[in-house]
Amino acid sequence: MQIGKVIRTYRKKKGLTQEEMANRLGVTTPAVNKWENGVSYPDIMLLAPIARLLDISLDTLLSFREELTTEEIQNIVYEVDSMLKEKPYEEAFEWAKEKLEEYPNCEMLILEVAVILNAWRIRDEVIDTDENGASIMDKYESTINRWFTSALESDNEEVRTMAADSLFTFYLNKNDYDKAEEYLTYFSNQNPERKWKQALIYSKTDRTNEAYKAYEEVLFSMYQMSSKLLQGIYILALKENNMEKAHAMAEKQSELARVFEMGEYYEISCKLELATVEKDADAVIDIMQKMLVSIDEIYSFYKAPVYEHMTFRDPREEFSAQLKKDLLQSFRDENTFGFLKDDSRWHKLIE
């Protein structure tokens, strides 16, 4: 992390504006802005005042001891986990806290340690009060959540998303659904996890129809993605002439379409190419016939119970007719289906 990012991160934590920070340091607001955007650097004489103002050490300001390898991070996490198994929670917690203070800018380390400490805290139901009656649980919760919250400022999308996920779960378990919902903004709109979590919030707050719709939309997108993935594996198998794997992937695509109630057309069409590659005339003719019959119901999934709360745009009648026409035209391609030229069933079908 560059010094400008460190200044911006800790300035925000202190609740200072750029103008307020500039006034405290006796510099201009544009100067602070340039530091934070990496356009220029603070004068060396300002480093100590900046560190004092932000309540951080010079090591933190200058990002000393920031970089850790993935292996080093995992070793520390493993050490925390081992201590949690062998020592009192509070002792392991304090050790981990000191380690994070040693590497205050290593975002992934902070996040992973926070995750494991939080998991153990929940699992072991750490005692609620200390000998003076003060809430130990609240102390752990607030510190761990502060680590998660700091990770939300990361430039790393993975770190931000993992932190938001942890905070979402925390407030969901507290039945604070409004607060939990706030953290969904840290998930990209393309991330199905966001819609799934939104559906969960809907269901918890008695917005039943919205919950149904959100779940169904996630389900539908999962079918589309899963089908594409299976098709990709199928193509690789064909490229390697691994026919056994290709058959297995085609069969799984068919099963997927059945499970997701996509209709017979999608259940059968995924097997045509493989039958054609193997020049299996009986299979090709059978699949072609079933595709032509079922194409009139190609949008039958619009009415499937599993998608009943979703809204689809009804296709015009002539669209299905055009699909059938295009399908027949593709079946007439002699470069692909020329091996059927002596098969009367093929001639009858394409005419």
Side-chain angles (χ1 to χ4, degrees):
M1 190 184 298
Q2 296 178 348
I3 188 171
K5 292 182 180 179
V6 175
I7 292 173
R8 179 182 63 194
T9 297
Y10 287 95
R11 173 182 62 78
K12 288 182 177 180
K13 286 183 180 180
K14 289 283 290 183
L16 296 172
T17 65
Q18 289 184 342
E19 183 179 6
E20 289 170 336
M21 182 172 182
N23 290 336
R24 298 274 194 93
L25 295 171
V27 298
T28 64
T29 302
V32 175
N33 183 269
K34 289 180 180 180
W35 298 343
E36 294 188 0
N37 288 292
V39 177
S40 62
Y41 297 98
D43 185 274
I44 191 170
M45 299 300 293
L46 285 172
L47 295 181
I50 290 173
R52 285 195 298 271
L53 176 62
L54 299 179
D55 286 335
I56 58 177
S57 67
L58 279 174
D59 282 358
T60 298
L61 178 63
L62 299 174
S63 300
F64 289 156
R65 305 193 70 180
E66 174 195 10
E67 298 300 328
L68 288 174
T69 66
T70 300
E71 183 178 359
E72 288 172 328
I73 291 173
Q74 291 308 310
N75 286 339
I76 294 173
V77 171
Y78 176 79
E79 184 68 21
V80 174
D81 187 55
S82 297
M83 291 187 70
L84 286 164
K85 293 175 181 176
E86 300 169 3
K87 299 179 182 296
Y89 183 89
E90 187 167 13
E91 185 176 338
F93 184 92
E94 291 302 323
W95 184 89
K97 185 178 177 183
E98 289 178 7
K99 186 61 65 173
L100 296 189
E101 289 171 352
E102 189 176 344
Y103 299 99
N105 299 313
C106 187
E107 297 168 336
M108 189 57 75
L109 175 65
I110 294 172
L111 182 61
E112 292 201 21
V113 168
V115 167
I116 193 170
L117 286 172
N118 196 45
W120 275 80
R121 178 185 62 81
I122 295 171
R123 186 178 71 181
D124 289 355
E125 297 181 349
V126 179
I127 57 175
D128 290 336
T129 58
D130 61 19
E131 57 187 10
N132 297 317
S135 174
I136 294 177
M137 183 68 80
D138 287 347
K139 179 183 71 173
Y140 293 139
E141 282 183 356
S142 61
T143 302
I144 292 171
N145 282 354
R146 187 173 71 250
W147 290 332
F148 285 139
T149 302
S150 69
L152 294 174
E153 301 291 332
S154 174
D155 293 328
N156 185 321
E157 183 179 0
E158 181 185 4
V159 170
R160 293 197 307 272
T161 302
M162 288 175 64
D165 182 57
S166 295
L167 289 165
F168 171 87
T169 302
F170 172 79
Y171 286 106
L172 185 74
N173 291 337
K174 293 284 188 182
N175 298 327
D176 188 345
Y177 304 123
D178 289 338
K179 189 68 175 178
E181 195 167 7
E182 291 178 14
Y183 293 100
L184 295 182
T185 59
Y186 289 91
F187 294 82
S188 71
N189 290 326
Q190 291 72 38
N191 189 341
E193 189 78 9
R194 175 172 181 165
K195 190 172 285 291
W196 175 81
K197 291 180 184 298
Q198 183 66 72
L200 190 57
I201 292 292
Y202 286 151
S203 67
K204 294 285 188 180
T205 53
D206 297 324
R207 288 176 279 180
T208 305
N209 285 336
E210 292 95 328
Y212 269 126
K213 183 179 179 182
Y215 279 132
E216 290 168 13
E217 288 174 349
V218 174
L219 201 63
F220 189 68
S221 66
M222 285 177 63
Y223 165 74
Q224 294 176 309
M225 177 57 70
S226 298
S227 182
K228 289 177 182 177
L229 294 174
L230 288 171
Q231 178 67 9
I233 297 173
Y234 161 81
I235 290 172
L236 288 175
L238 273 187
K239 186 177 179 181
E240 293 184 336
N241 200 32
N242 186 341
M243 303 311 290
E244 181 180 356
K245 191 175 188 69
H247 271 282
M249 293 304 105
E251 189 60 39
K252 287 188 181 299
Q253 286 193 71
S254 179
E255 293 173 5
L256 187 73
R258 179 181 58 78
V259 169
F260 281 80
E261 299 185 27
M262 297 305 296
E264 185 180 13
Y265 182 86
Y266 293 98
E267 292 178 35
I268 193 67
S269 60
C270 55
K271 298 181 178 181
L272 179 61
E273 182 183 21
L274 190 54
T276 304
V277 169
E278 296 181 329
K279 293 183 169 48
D280 184 340
D282 291 340
V284 169
I285 296 298
D286 181 59
I287 294 170
M288 284 180 170
Q289 291 173 338
K290 289 179 178 178
M291 288 175 67
L292 287 170
V293 169
S294 62
I295 199 169
D296 290 332
E297 300 295 326
I298 194 171
Y299 298 108
S300 62
F301 62 87
Y302 282 15
K303 299 177 182 179
V306 74
Y307 306 121
E308 66 179 328
H309 295 85
M310 289 180 63
T311 302
F312 295 99
R313 185 173 61 184
D314 289 330
R316 292 177 295 181
E317 287 187 20
E318 59 266 27
F319 189 65
S320 293
Q322 185 62 48
L323 279 176
K324 182 174 285 189
K325 182 178 178 181
D326 293 342
L327 192 60
L328 274 170
Q329 186 61 37
S330 70
F331 289 167
R332 296 188 183 105
D333 182 6
E334 292 191 7
N335 289 329
T336 304
F337 301 108
F339 68 95
L340 297 172
K341 63 182 179 180
D342 296 326
D343 193 315
S344 60
R345 296 173 299 174
W346 179 60
H347 289 283
K348 182 178 180 180
L349 184 145
I350 63 176
E351 291 172 0

